[in-house]
Amino acid sequence: MKLRVSATMSNAPIVLTLDCDMYSNDPETPLKALCYIFNPNIRPNLAYVQFPQRFHRIKKNDIYASKFKRLFELNPIGLNGLRGPGYVGTGAFFCCQAFFGDPSTFIAPEIVELSSNHVVEEPIKSPSILSLAHRVAGCNYENQTKWGSEPNTIYLCGCINQPLDTLNQNKRWGIGLFEVAFSKYSPLTFGIRSMGLMGLGYSHSAFWPSLSIPITVYGFLPQLALLNGVTIFPKIIRGVGDMQGQFLQMLLSGFVVVNCWPIYEAIVLRTDKGKLPAKVTVIAAFLAWALYYTATSLIF
């Protein structure tokens, strides 16, 4: 919607996307972006120039968001060897033409005023401009159009300090990524056909929520087996194998406990906004006990 309104009111060939709680600490950032955008050697194949987020001097009270190092530092470097990293959600300078596809897949807008080549000649506050902007911003404008459905018009989708915010944010990310992963535009099908290896690169992000399954098993099964005196490791030599298995199991369970230390800290030690609410702690303890009792009854 914002893109449509901007097209009716401005002749700007570039769109900056920036979250309201973020900023650039380099005053030459726009100049650096323009150096790429107006480079005649790369402009025909350039859609955007982005500056991924960097988290520096993270406070001790901000232990949930981390630096997102893999998302903003490692993955983009790897994808640079193919066709470039995906849009990370903020800090990007977009060429308006990119929203309509490349020259071979250009998708014409439904009205000429939304075209990237359209020139707005009237003042921004003129009645005709405001009327058109109001029209394209309407809730029903997208009906019977390609907005939000075609590949080149699909919508583009802060630093978290509280555990509940982290859970909600990851839930939204997970649901959105799975919707893409299991749609007709899945990177494993549509992506590989249209982009080759780049599709596999995007599949890492699309199927990222599936990691919650092995992580849950990893965080629950070793402790469950240990409390019931059952080894999850195969026996190699009777006697010695049992001791080794129990030792490895205790080591694994202890490693899980250490990894969960920030959660225990949020439950007991913290007094700031990062502390888990007592209600959440009680509910979590009850669910953990119920899950343990059910699993013990069914499995052991």
Side-chain angles (χ1 to χ4, degrees):
M1 182 267 287
K2 294 180 180 179
L3 294 174
R4 296 195 298 267
V5 173
S6 175
T8 63
M9 306 179 77
S10 170
N11 293 321
I14 300 170
V15 174
L16 169 64
T17 61
L18 187 67
D19 286 354
C20 62
D21 58 348
M22 296 184 181
Y23 65 93
S24 173
N25 57 8
D26 184 356
E28 295 186 352
T29 296
L31 178 61
K32 293 178 179 178
L34 292 176
C35 288
Y36 286 96
I37 293 174
F38 291 111
N39 185 333
N41 296 324
I42 63 175
R43 182 167 185 175
N45 298 316
L46 183 66
Y48 57 87
V49 177
Q50 67 177 342
F51 298 83
Q53 304 167 45
R54 293 290 188 272
F55 297 99
H56 301 289
R57 298 180 181 177
I58 295 181
K59 299 181 295 184
K60 64 178 182 179
N61 292 334
D62 184 22
I63 60 178
Y64 299 102
S66 71
K67 293 184 178 181
F68 287 105
K69 187 173 183 179
R70 177 174 296 177
L71 176 62
F72 296 130
E73 297 183 30
L74 302 182
N75 288 358
I77 293 176
L79 292 173
N80 266 340
L82 298 173
R83 297 177 62 182
Y87 173 51
V88 298
T90 184
F93 294 82
F94 278 88
C95 300
C96 290
Q97 181 67 36
F99 295 113
F100 298 92
D102 58 46
S104 62
T105 60
F106 179 79
I107 299 177
E110 55 279 357
I111 58 175
V112 67
E113 289 83 358
L114 296 181
S115 172
S116 60
N117 297 322
H118 175 68
V119 177
V120 180
E121 297 179 345
E122 299 183 37
I124 193 171
K125 293 185 178 181
S126 65
S128 59
I129 295 296
L130 294 178
S131 175
L132 180 59
H134 186 270
R135 172 190 166 195
V136 300
C139 298
N140 298 324
Y141 178 80
E142 299 173 7
N143 293 345
Q144 308 301 319
T145 71
K146 296 179 180 180
W147 284 93
S149 60
E150 292 292 336
N152 296 315
T153 52
I154 291 178
Y155 299 126
L156 301 173
C157 323
C159 194
I160 304 169
N161 193 46
Q162 300 186 37
L164 292 182
D165 292 340
T166 303
L167 293 175
N168 289 330
Q169 182 78 311
N170 279 272
K171 181 184 70 174
R172 292 193 301 109
W173 285 344
I175 293 174
L177 290 171
F178 263 158
E179 287 179 346
V180 175
F182 294 102
S183 70
K184 63 179 180 179
Y185 297 118
S186 171
L188 288 182
T189 54
F190 177 84
I192 293 178
R193 289 198 307 269
S194 60
M195 297 182 290
L197 288 177
M198 194 69 181
L200 290 178
Y202 280 126
S203 67
H204 172 271
S205 298
F207 290 94
W208 162 76
S210 62
L211 290 176
S212 60
I213 299 175
I215 289 176
T216 302
V217 174
Y218 159 77
F220 183 72
L221 183 60
Q223 293 84 340
L224 179 64
L226 183 63
L227 291 174
N228 286 274
V230 177
T231 178
I232 59 175
F233 297 99
K235 297 180 180 180
I236 303 175
I237 302 176
R238 188 173 182 82
V240 177
D242 291 343
M243 293 178 60
Q244 289 179 340
Q246 289 295 331
F247 173 76
L248 290 174
Q249 198 157 318
M250 292 181 65
L251 181 64
L252 180 59
S253 298
F255 185 67
V256 173
V257 171
V258 172
N259 280 342
C260 293
W261 175 253
I263 303 299
Y264 306 142
E265 184 181 16
I267 293 174
V268 180
L269 301 178
R270 296 184 65 159
T271 57
D272 55 16
K273 292 183 178 181
K275 183 178 179 62
L276 277 176
K279 180 180 178 180
V280 175
T281 302
V282 172
I283 294 175
F286 174 78
L287 291 177
W289 175 84
L291 183 60
Y292 166 75
Y293 179 81
T294 303
T296 301
S297 302
L298 296 177
I299 300 176
F300 303 103

